[in-house]
Amino acid sequence: MPWGLLAGACVLGATGAWAGSRSVSALHERRVQLEREAAESEARVAELQALREAMARRLRVLEQQHQTAREEALSAAAACAEPPAEPPP
């Protein structure tokens, strides 16, 4: 009987050690996966920030072009509204 208990305890211990090592291995794999996903996410954030900055610069250029075109249109409208100059006699 004591040999059976000892064998049972050894089997139980070995099974527990095996399950524990698999659990630790799974946790390690999950940690590696999460680190990889975090690195990809950080790269994507940097890419989106660069895109946002480029779009902000482009928007400022377009606003400046729009303002210049508006001022030119107003000047042209004002020039057209002036009475024609009389030709010299």
Side-chain angles (χ1 to χ4, degrees):
M1 184 71 163
W3 290 107
L5 288 175
L6 181 60
C10 286
V11 168
L12 186 60
T15 303
W18 174 78
S21 69
R22 287 189 47 93
S23 178
V24 169
S25 176
L27 287 173
H28 176 69
E29 289 175 13
R30 180 67 176 146
R31 186 180 131 249
V32 169
Q33 178 187 6
L34 289 173
E35 287 176 352
R36 183 174 49 250
E37 290 174 2
E40 291 171 359
S41 178
E42 288 174 4
R44 181 68 177 145
V45 166
E47 180 183 322
L48 290 173
Q49 286 175 336
L51 181 60
R52 179 177 182 245
E53 290 169 6
M55 291 177 73
R57 284 191 303 271
R58 179 68 178 140
L59 179 60
R60 282 192 299 272
V61 168
L62 289 172
E63 286 173 342
Q64 289 172 350
Q65 289 174 347
H66 174 63
Q67 183 65 28
T68 301
R70 185 170 186 256
E71 289 170 359
E72 289 174 355
L74 289 175
S75 295
C80 290
E82 291 179 7
E86 292 184 25

